[in-house]
Amino acid sequence: MTSPGGSTEKRFLSSALSAYGSQFGRVLIRTAAELALARLIVPEGWGVFSLARAVTIVAALLRDSGTTYHLVRDRREPWGEVLAWVLSTGALISALLMLWPQPLAFFDPSLPEVMRWFGLWVFLDGVAVVPKVFFERRLAVRQLVAPEILRGALYATVAITLAALGHGVWSLVIGELAAAAFYAAAVWFRARGRIPLGCDPGRLPGLLRKSALLLLIALAAVPIPYVQRFFVAAYDSAGSEAVGFFDKAYEWGLRLQILILPAFLRVVYPALVEYRGDRRRLVDAYRLGTVTILALETLAAYFLFFNAEVVLVNILLGDQWPEAVPLLKILCFLPLVDPFTRLGGEVLKVREEDRLWLLIVLVNMASLLTFGFLLAAPFGAPGMAWANYLLLGNLVMAWRMAKICGPDFWHLLRELLFVYLVPLPAFALVAWAFPDGSWSRFAASVVAGALAAAVLILRFRAPVMGFFFAPAGHADKEASS
């Protein structure tokens, strides 16, 4: 399959490298900023902002109404209709959050006042949605790299400056608003004259109808990491302070997933759309992508578990965060329990199996709410952390991926077992030889991780490189080897 920009594989690889470059740049900047801000803003302030952020994430899903997900696979490419919808709903939802935030006081008395200003983020973020999706759909993510990195730099500059002046949680709010406004202007500058923005209002009802299930899927799937904060706020006696500890443990426990997955998903979905007529290439992309992601996440999980205190307190956040260490030890292995859902949702969207994907995320949300209540009520934040391991919808996803992949699914299982077990002996030896919380264990873990990474690279380098660079027929053979 070719296009003026080259084969799908070449554009997929180019866009993926650009996405990773952008993601690494943004995460590096934001991580440096958050390390500084963690020492300038108390955990309670972080907890309040985490709750506000969760509200805006859900609000942004309602604003988009699933249209941005459907836009990627819609051959008519209704850019103008989606833009009109997102801007109008974004303005309405932002106004609602800013004018009527009082119900949020149930979770924290200071949350409504923060929301009264941070609600504007929903509209500002929506302004950038269409040009961002346009470049991703074209597998031209490189056009977004500079705006995204500059956005992160602006956030860091504004937030750190204000926090150093003693403005607490408002430093985070103003930093996010300034960064969102800049990014919207920058991506539209890049997209000027490229996007056909003709709008036929008569097409909007059909667009919303086709996007409805994707909205429900997003509402059930995306808030899962965020709804937990509200359980912690409601049931942990420490309130917003406990939310702050949970937020940092979750963030760093899944840091590599946060770093890798968004960059990969923004290019893998458009690429899979182009493979929808070629089952062999679609399955190979899913299998090799899953193995690559899980290999990195497995190394990170072992390293964090055996060095949680040194990493989180001594290196990253400082002395006011020790209560986050046991939570980090619980959460760091979470990415390893749902390997098939990582890219499985993208496969189902490409195949337009929206109802099944909706069922999976609804079961996961129901599982989280049920087990979250049962475990958070008596045990607080640790109970909420353990509830993440009991998402039953992941079993349904595993079953469906087995059906789609056929014999390749068992190949994938063997590869994942290899990925999970290879680092274990080296890290177990390090844990036996060096005391917990010591710099000697940290240094030895670096060596153990490097050795395990070398083994994984030797094992998977050939099939991954073969998928991207070998001639089509040979690539299929290599990817299946």
Side-chain angles (χ1 to χ4, degrees):
M1 184 179 299
T2 61
S3 75
S7 68
T8 297
E9 287 76 25
K10 289 181 179 178
R11 289 184 294 120
F12 183 10
L13 180 59
S14 173
S15 203
L17 293 175
S18 297
Y20 280 123
S22 174
Q23 189 76 356
F24 274 107
R26 285 183 293 149
V27 170
L28 183 63
I29 292 170
R30 184 167 284 264
T31 298
E34 290 180 356
L35 294 182
L37 291 167
R39 289 166 167 79
L40 296 170
I41 300 173
V42 297
E44 183 178 359
W46 279 102
V48 172
F49 181 75
S50 178
L51 295 174
R53 183 66 169 164
V55 172
T56 59
I57 292 297
V58 175
L61 297 176
L62 294 172
R63 175 202 68 205
D64 296 348
S65 304
T67 57
T68 54
Y69 297 111
H70 179 69
L71 184 56
V72 174
R73 68 187 186 188
D74 193 329
R75 290 181 172 87
R76 300 174 303 170
E77 298 187 339
W79 304 106
E81 289 83 354
V82 172
L83 177 63
W85 177 260
V86 169
L87 291 181
S88 58
T89 55
L92 178 62
I93 293 172
S94 281
L96 181 64
L97 290 175
M98 296 171 73
L99 295 174
W100 194 55
Q102 289 81 4
L104 297 173
F106 172 80
F107 299 102
D108 189 278
S110 59
L111 184 55
E113 187 60 27
V114 170
M115 206 69 242
R116 196 179 301 280
W117 294 97
F118 194 46
L120 180 61
W121 183 90
V122 178
F123 175 76
L124 293 175
D125 178 71
V127 174
V129 162
V130 165
K132 176 176 176 289
V133 175
F134 174 80
F135 287 123
E136 291 173 349
R137 178 63 185 90
R138 295 291 189 271
L139 292 175
V141 174
R142 65 184 180 277
Q143 296 290 334
L144 299 172
V145 173
E148 289 174 347
I149 290 177
L150 290 174
R151 175 183 187 169
L154 179 61
Y155 165 78
T157 302
V158 173
I160 292 174
T161 300
L162 292 176
L165 295 174
H167 293 288
V169 67
W170 294 104
S171 310
L172 306 174
V173 172
I174 297 172
E176 289 284 6
L177 292 177
F182 166 81
Y183 182 68
V187 293
W188 273 111
F189 180 78
R190 284 287 176 97
R192 64 194 187 283
R194 301 189 186 188
I195 308 176
L197 292 177
C199 181
D200 179 2
R203 296 167 63 180
L204 195 56
L207 175 64
L208 292 173
R209 186 169 56 254
K210 292 180 179 179
S211 304
L213 286 178
L214 296 178
L215 169 62
L216 295 177
I217 290 168
L219 286 174
V222 175
I224 284 179
Y226 300 98
V227 72
Q228 303 173 64
R229 276 73 165 177
F230 293 97
F231 272 81
V232 175
Y235 294 114
D236 197 296
S237 59
S240 294
E241 186 178 42
V243 175
F245 292 131
F246 184 89
D247 183 68
K248 288 302 179 188
Y250 193 96
E251 176 187 334
W252 287 100
L254 280 75
R255 170 60 63 168
L256 199 60
Q257 183 182 104
I258 294 169
L259 173 62
I260 295 171
L261 200 56
F264 197 76
L265 290 183
R266 70 190 303 185
V267 295
V268 77
Y269 180 33
L272 291 175
V273 167
E274 298 202 23
Y275 290 142
R276 56 187 158 191
D278 186 343
R279 179 190 171 278
R280 173 75 272 157
R281 301 298 280 170
L282 186 145
V283 169
D284 285 344
Y286 168 75
R287 181 172 63 82
L288 294 174
T290 297
V291 170
T292 300
I293 291 171
L294 267 296
L296 295 170
E297 290 177 340
T298 299
L299 293 174
Y302 279 114
F303 191 88
L304 286 173
F305 181 81
F306 290 113
N307 299 277
E309 183 177 352
V310 172
V311 171
L312 200 62
V313 177
N314 296 351
I315 296 177
L316 296 175
L317 303 182
D319 295 337
Q320 61 179 343
W321 297 94
E323 288 86 347
V325 171
L327 295 173
L328 176 62
K329 287 189 173 184
I330 297 173
L331 291 165
C332 65
F333 284 107
L334 183 58
L336 278 57
V337 301
D338 66 333
F340 309 114
T341 64
R342 195 76 84 258
L343 301 180
E346 310 308 304
V347 173
L348 295 183
K349 282 190 290 186
V350 168
R351 294 169 58 90
E352 299 195 26
E353 297 184 24
D354 296 345
R355 288 183 174 83
L356 179 60
W357 185 212
L358 175 60
L359 172 65
I360 290 169
V361 296
L362 286 176
V363 171
N364 275 346
M365 177 60 81
S367 302
L368 183 71
L369 294 176
T370 301
F371 292 113
F373 172 76
L374 293 175
L375 297 176
F379 302 114
M384 190 68 247
W386 282 114
N388 283 272
Y389 287 87
L390 302 172
L391 304 186
L392 303 180
N394 294 338
L395 299 177
V396 182
M397 178 63 81
W399 166 80
R400 184 56 188 145
M401 288 300 104
K403 291 288 187 180
I404 292 173
C405 294
D408 287 295
F409 183 78
W410 304 107
H411 190 182
L412 173 58
L413 283 180
R414 292 193 298 271
E415 290 174 332
L416 290 176
L417 185 62
F418 182 85
V419 165
Y420 289 170
L421 293 181
V422 159
L424 181 58
F427 279 100
L429 180 61
V430 168
W432 173 79
F434 301 98
D436 189 19
S438 66
W439 287 102
S440 56
R441 176 184 285 194
F442 179 87
S445 295
V446 172
V447 176
L451 292 174
V455 173
L456 293 174
I457 290 172
L458 288 174
R459 168 62 182 84
F460 295 109
R461 179 181 180 276
V464 171
M465 298 297 287
F467 177 85
F468 285 111
F469 296 112
H474 183 66
D476 291 341
K477 181 179 178 181
E478 285 291 325
S480 302
S481 64

